[in-house]
């Protein structure tokens, strides 16, 4: 099993290329299931979750070819098996995104209940509720969601869907299903993430009629069929934010190429308050920091977009461990997303947990140690901590990291970090 060996204390300088967003690429790969025509996706990141999605759609009979430049050619005209088996779904919760497109195009689907990081409950009941409102019958049998159209129907129909909570994958599933439904669908309480807006833009290129994406109310007028398209995946705002936090903690001057400040406003505001200089540059974000000695601890509360993202909580906490003062970090999205705290404490961090709140008191110096990644973003927080720690830090179980970061250690090495992958 691979590990990362980090020798801390090096500032980061240079330019880093931000990859396409995992959370946009995964639903967009599923969107290709909506048409029998070829689809081209560009800027697709090389990640474990993306590879798993490739296996999933190929298992259905989809032709999927990948080039070295991040371009993917898809053709679901060859799809013969609208099923997502447990063996491929168990490691990745995003596989539930196959349900809406398969049901909309073929009228039936069988998708295993999803897995993924162990960071808390992520129920699929909202997906079932919304698709049922559009004319589906969905039962859960032997760990599978078995879906079909109600008797007498040949297509899903439009509906008003108001979810009980803001759900990103739910919004994406409804968007894709509604694109081929008969009549109008209105999504209330829709998630507003940039990745959802990017998915909507791809669907529009395919012939879908969508308005309001990027807001909490999305209107979709269903069409009879969709055609192929050529679409570039939006840059990964969480990868960009992770590099911003890494530079803030270590010190240095880095440009995150393709990064977008307008997708990271809540994080950028907190970094600026911490004493970091962040500016928008042509096709990117420039971050300049004097390092941990000049940082001021920042309290924050995770909320749905456009608030502070839960996917940046662990990385910013790592920064707070070496900043001056005390910060209160409140996690409101997932009930089990402080698993990185015990590992940060192994590195010398001063953190106390009380339910959904962590109190972080900055220390002058972290000390290298062997630590274990527990989920995707926890992995990134341990890498950031290792970059500022004294001595050597060995991060174990980095398969979590590989699920969401495209060659992270190579990119950091290009900025001057002393980091290597070891067996």
């Amino acid at each position: 099993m691979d590990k990362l060996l980090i020798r801390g204390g090096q500032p980061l300088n240079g330019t880093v290329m931000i990859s396409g967003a995992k959370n946009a690429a995964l639903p967009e790969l599923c969107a290709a299931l909506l048409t029998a025509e070829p689809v081209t996706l560009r800027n697709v990141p090389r990640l474990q979750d993306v590879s798993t999605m490739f296996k999933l759609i190929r298992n259905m009979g989809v032709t999927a070819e990948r080039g070295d430049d991040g371009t993917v050619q898809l053709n679901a005209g060859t799809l013969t098996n609208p099923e997502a088996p447990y063996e491929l779904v168990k490691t990745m919760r995003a596989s539930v995104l196959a349900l809406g497109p398969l049901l909309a195009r073929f009228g039936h689907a069988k998708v295993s209940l999803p897995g993924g990081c162990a960071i808390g409950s992520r129920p699929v009941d909202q997906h079932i509720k919304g698709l049922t409102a559009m004319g589906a019958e969905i039962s859960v049998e032997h760990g599978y969601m078995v879906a079909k159209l109600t008797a007498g129907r040949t297509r899903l129909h439009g509906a008003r869907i108001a979810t009980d909570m803001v759900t990103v994958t739910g919004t994406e599933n409804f968007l894709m299903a509604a694109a081929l439904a008969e009549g109008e669908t209105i999504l209330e309480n829709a998630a507003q993430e940039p990745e959802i807006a990017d998915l909507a833009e791809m669907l529009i290129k395919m012939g879908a009629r969508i308005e309001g994406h990027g807001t909490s109310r999305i209107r979709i007028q269903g069409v009879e069929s969709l055609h192929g398209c050529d679409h570039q995946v939006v840059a990964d705002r969480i990868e960009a934010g992770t590099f911003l936090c890494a530079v803030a903690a270590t010190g240095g001057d880095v440009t995150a190429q393709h990064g977008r400040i307008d997708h990271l406003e809540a994080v950028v505001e907190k970094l600026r308050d911490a004493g970091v200089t962040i500016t928008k540059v042509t096709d990117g974000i420039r971050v300049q920091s004097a390092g941990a000695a000049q940082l001021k601890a920042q309290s924050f509360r995770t909320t749905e977009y456009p608030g502070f993202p839960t996917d940046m909580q662990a990385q910013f906490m790592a920064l707070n461990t070496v900043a001056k003062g005390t910060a209160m970090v409140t996690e409101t999205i997932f009930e089990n997303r402080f698993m990185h705290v015990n590992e940060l404490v192994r590195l010398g961090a001063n953190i106390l947990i009380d339910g959904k709140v962590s109190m972080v008191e900055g220390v002058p110096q972290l000390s290298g140690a062997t630590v274990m990644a527990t989920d995707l973003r926890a992995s990134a927080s341990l890498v950031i901590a290792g970059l500022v720690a004294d001595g050597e830090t060995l991060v174990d179980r980095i398969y979590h990291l590989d699920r969401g970061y495209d060659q992270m250690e190579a990119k950091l090495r290009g900025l001057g970090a002393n980091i290597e992958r070891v067996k």
Side-chain angles (χ1 to χ4, degrees):
M1 190 180 296
D2 288 1
K3 305 177 184 182
L4 285 182
L5 178 62
I6 306 168
R7 297 174 180 88
Q10 300 297 319
L12 302 178
N13 292 283
T15 299
V16 62
M17 191 76 69
I18 302 302
S19 301
K22 176 188 81 137
N23 290 339
L26 295 177
E28 287 165 5
L29 287 168
C30 289
L33 303 176
L34 289 163
T35 178
E37 296 185 13
V39 169
T40 299
L41 286 177
R42 304 183 188 278
N43 199 31
V44 178
R46 289 189 174 275
L47 304 172
Q48 190 58 50
D49 276 8
V50 171
S51 296
T52 301
M53 186 63 81
F54 265 95
K55 292 176 185 176
L56 181 65
I57 61 178
R58 281 173 175 155
N59 187 69
M60 296 178 189
V62 176
T63 302
E65 301 296 333
R66 175 168 202 146
D68 294 334
D69 61 351
T71 299
V72 171
Q73 305 286 347
L74 303 159
N75 190 333
T78 56
L79 194 153
T80 56
N81 180 31
E83 179 176 337
Y86 173 73
E87 291 72 24
L88 295 174
V89 167
K90 62 184 179 181
T91 62
M92 184 181 64
R93 66 187 173 91
S95 48
V96 72
L97 291 167
L99 182 61
L102 291 175
L103 185 58
R105 183 172 161 211
F106 297 98
H108 61 98
K110 184 179 179 182
V111 177
S112 173
L113 292 169
C117 288
I119 58 173
S121 174
R122 303 195 239 203
V124 297
D125 61 320
Q126 300 302 303
H127 298 252
I128 295 174
K129 174 184 174 182
L131 293 171
T132 299
M134 297 174 70
E137 292 181 1
I138 303 176
S139 58
V140 177
E141 304 172 11
H142 308 293
Y144 280 81
M145 291 177 287
V146 181
K148 62 181 180 180
L149 298 179
T150 54
R153 295 208 63 89
T154 57
R155 292 170 63 189
L156 292 172
H157 60 74
R160 179 184 174 274
I161 301 174
T163 52
D164 300 333
M165 64 187 77
V166 176
T167 162
V168 173
T169 52
T171 301
E172 291 166 340
N173 240 337
F174 305 147
L175 259 180
M176 292 186 282
L180 286 182
E182 186 177 5
E184 182 178 78
T185 299
I186 296 177
L187 306 183
E188 307 279 7
N189 200 27
Q192 302 175 51
E193 276 75 0
E195 296 81 15
I196 289 173
D198 196 56
L199 171 63
E201 290 298 327
M202 174 186 173
L203 292 171
I204 290 169
K205 290 177 183 176
M206 295 172 70
R209 297 169 61 188
I210 302 171
E211 297 176 351
H213 44 293
T215 75
S216 62
R217 190 173 194 268
I218 306 176
R219 185 187 299 266
I220 309 105
Q221 193 71 41
V223 297
E224 286 193 13
S225 64
L226 296 173
H227 51 73
C229 75
D230 188 318
H231 180 74
Q232 177 154 317
V233 180
V234 69
D236 193 325
R237 62 193 169 94
I238 304 301
E239 184 190 23
T242 300
F243 276 98
L244 296 187
C245 285
V247 178
T250 63
D253 185 345
V254 169
T255 296
Q257 195 166 350
H258 300 328
R260 290 180 54 171
I261 284 182
D262 60 326
H263 290 173
L264 278 169
E265 288 180 346
V267 175
V268 167
E269 180 182 350
K270 288 295 180 183
L271 285 170
R272 285 172 172 162
D273 289 345
V276 182
T277 300
I278 297 179
T279 51
K280 179 181 178 181
V281 296
T282 303
D283 191 29
I285 307 170
R286 184 181 182 187
V287 53
Q288 298 166 283
S289 172
Q294 303 300 317
L295 293 176
K296 299 184 287 291
Q298 298 298 311
S299 297
F300 61 90
R301 178 187 184 91
T302 63
T303 58
E304 291 86 1
Y305 189 87
F308 197 100
T310 181
D311 278 354
M312 282 300 305
Q313 177 254 105
Q315 300 92 306
F316 208 104
M317 185 184 288
L319 180 154
N320 272 335
T321 63
V322 291
K324 292 180 180 177
T326 301
M328 181 169 69
V329 176
T330 306
E331 174 60 54
T332 71
I333 306 299
F334 294 121
E335 70 272 18
N336 196 23
R337 206 164 201 180
F338 283 147
M339 291 190 292
H340 50 281
V341 167
N342 287 338
E343 302 305 301
L344 290 172
V345 169
R346 281 182 53 78
L347 296 171
N350 186 353
I351 309 172
L352 296 175
I353 303 176
D354 184 6
K356 295 182 177 181
V357 179
S358 282
M359 297 300 298
V360 187
E361 183 177 348
V363 297
Q365 181 70 63
L366 296 178
S367 178
T370 298
V371 290
M372 181 177 66
T374 53
D375 63 68
L376 170 54
R377 306 307 172 184
S379 312
S381 75
L382 298 178
V383 170
I384 293 171
L387 291 172
V388 295
D390 178 54
E392 291 187 352
T393 297
L394 190 65
V395 183
D396 200 353
R397 293 190 180 178
I398 60 167
Y399 57 83
H400 288 294
L401 192 77
D402 293 338
R403 286 187 50 234
Y405 290 94
D406 188 349
Q407 303 178 69
M408 187 184 212
E409 75 279 5
K411 291 182 179 182
L412 285 169
R413 215 166 32 245
L415 298 175
N418 192 332
I419 180 172
E420 59 181 313
R421 183 176 291 244
V422 296
K423 297 292 183 183

